[in-house]
Amino acid sequence: MELFEQAIVRTPSENFADGITPGFLGRADTALAREQHKAYIRALEQCGLRVTVLAEDNDYPDSCFIEDPAIVTDRVAVIAGFQAPSRKGEEKKVLPLIEKLYGTKIEIIQSPGTVEGGDICQVGTHFFIGLSRRTNDEGARQLSEILKKYGFTSSTISIRDYKSVLHLKTGMSYLGDHTFISIPQIANDPELKAFNRIVTTEEEGYASNCIRINDYVIIPQGFDRTIEQVEKAGFKTIPVPMSEFEKQDGGLSCLSLRIPKLNL
Ligand code: CIR
């Protein structure tokens, strides 16, 4: 499992509630989202990370979901290509910071390819690329070529039939120690057969988006059955409140770019 040293987050903007949302959980409360965001930062720090907090950006209501504009590895950063029209341009806003960290080891997904970071799940030196409403076949092809160039392997998992799942990691996460957590629909994907799998209930599917950082798994608060399953499997959990981000279709992983020790 990758050892992480730092993370980048972005404060939810004033117009956070105007971002893309399926709407069925009601309108998000921006003040509460900011409180929850602070708790999220504290959890990252508890895992030993140095956290860079970028200022809110009112040009992009979804910009706190900073995992989507870039894919960061120890060898290269890939600037994503948004499918969602209201998010196009967010990638340019993170580029200066990515350049500071990665210098020339930066690759860019070119149109008509689209890839959003939430669709990318790393397992050691292998990457699962989610084919979704946001990541198209051409984007996946480009990303796979880039990863190959830097010595990584990749394969795809299609989630296009699962209406409730926005990105691949909306429905599955790698917890390290050869173990995935996922929603029932994804658990039987042939790509995951060789791994241990923790399967959530339908009702607690939101908690399948959680992040293993160093010694801990940060997981959404209030999903008690899932938290118990994860603890039973031997992981230490840090539950954090996520209700306002859930309203915006955002998972816990989307709120940060977690940077491993670089090996450029
Ligand atoms: C969007 O629809 O783009 C945002 N409202 C939520 C993005 C969540 N990102 C993620 O799952 N990686």
Side-chain angles (χ1 to χ4, degrees):
M1 190 72 194
E2 216 84 32
L3 266 187
F4 293 101
E5 294 193 324
Q6 54 172 318
I8 303 168
V9 302
R10 190 186 289 285
T11 303
S13 59
E14 203 73 61
N15 54 1
F16 167 69
D18 299 329
I20 309 166
T21 167
F24 54 79
L25 292 173
R27 187 166 172 83
D29 173 336
T30 301
L32 182 55
R34 286 179 173 170
E35 283 311 306
Q36 295 183 340
H37 197 253
K38 282 184 191 145
Y40 182 86
I41 293 170
R42 284 196 297 275
L44 293 175
E45 287 171 345
Q46 193 181 332
C47 297
L49 299 191
R50 194 168 70 249
V51 183
T52 301
V53 184
L54 300 179
E56 63 184 88
D57 182 350
N58 289 308
D59 292 344
Y60 294 99
D62 278 312
S63 52
C64 64
F65 299 116
I66 197 162
E67 180 180 59
D68 292 326
I71 295 111
V72 290
T73 77
D74 65 331
R75 306 170 195 176
V76 61
V78 183
I79 302 299
F82 277 101
Q83 182 278 335
S86 66
R87 304 199 62 185
K88 283 183 200 284
E90 277 184 39
E91 69 282 7
K92 294 199 180 71
K93 300 288 190 99
V94 295
L95 189 56
L97 187 52
I98 298 289
E99 277 172 344
K100 252 193 208 160
L101 291 166
Y102 285 90
T104 56
K105 296 287 177 62
I106 296 177
E107 304 275 348
I108 300 175
I109 299 295
Q110 308 290 344
S111 174
T114 66
V115 173
E116 297 187 1
D119 276 318
I120 313 307
C121 181
Q122 183 175 3
V123 178
T125 56
H126 188 79
F127 286 75
F128 292 104
I129 305 174
L131 301 175
S132 69
R133 282 172 277 148
R134 300 291 183 87
T135 293
N136 65 16
D137 292 2
E138 170 57 15
R141 191 196 61 75
Q142 289 181 27
L143 179 60
S144 153
E145 284 296 307
I146 293 167
L147 291 169
K148 197 166 151 199
K149 179 171 151 193
Y150 287 86
F152 295 113
T153 55
S154 66
S155 56
T156 57
I157 296 179
S158 178
I159 54 152
R160 287 180 187 144
D161 287 341
Y162 313 142
K163 297 263 174 308
S164 63
V165 186
L166 177 66
H167 289 120
L168 178 63
K169 282 185 294 186
T170 312
M172 68 171 234
S173 310
Y174 183 60
L175 299 182
D177 304 331
H178 221 63
T179 304
F180 272 99
I181 179 167
S182 88
I183 58 171
Q185 298 97 308
I186 298 179
N188 290 326
D189 192 285
E191 288 286 337
L192 304 190
K193 281 260 158 68
F195 294 89
N196 303 325
R197 279 155 289 159
I198 299 171
V199 185
T200 69
T201 59
E202 292 275 352
E203 303 75 53
E204 295 210 355
Y206 180 71
S208 67
N209 180 297
C210 49
I211 46 179
R212 165 81 186 271
I213 303 183
N214 304 337
D215 291 338
Y216 296 96
V217 173
I218 307 180
I219 189 162
Q221 198 172 73
F223 294 82
D224 297 345
R225 267 178 83 168
T226 310
I227 293 171
E228 199 183 309
Q229 283 173 284
V230 172
E231 291 267 350
K232 264 209 185 120
F235 300 95
K236 285 185 278 185
T237 62
I238 305 178
V240 293
M242 286 292 297
S243 64
E244 303 319 291
F245 302 108
E246 187 180 6
K247 288 177 184 169
Q248 297 306 111
D249 219 355
L252 192 147
S253 69
C254 331
L255 289 179
S256 58
L257 271 175
R258 299 159 301 280
I259 320 267
K261 188 172 165 35
L262 296 179
N263 188 11
L264 303 176

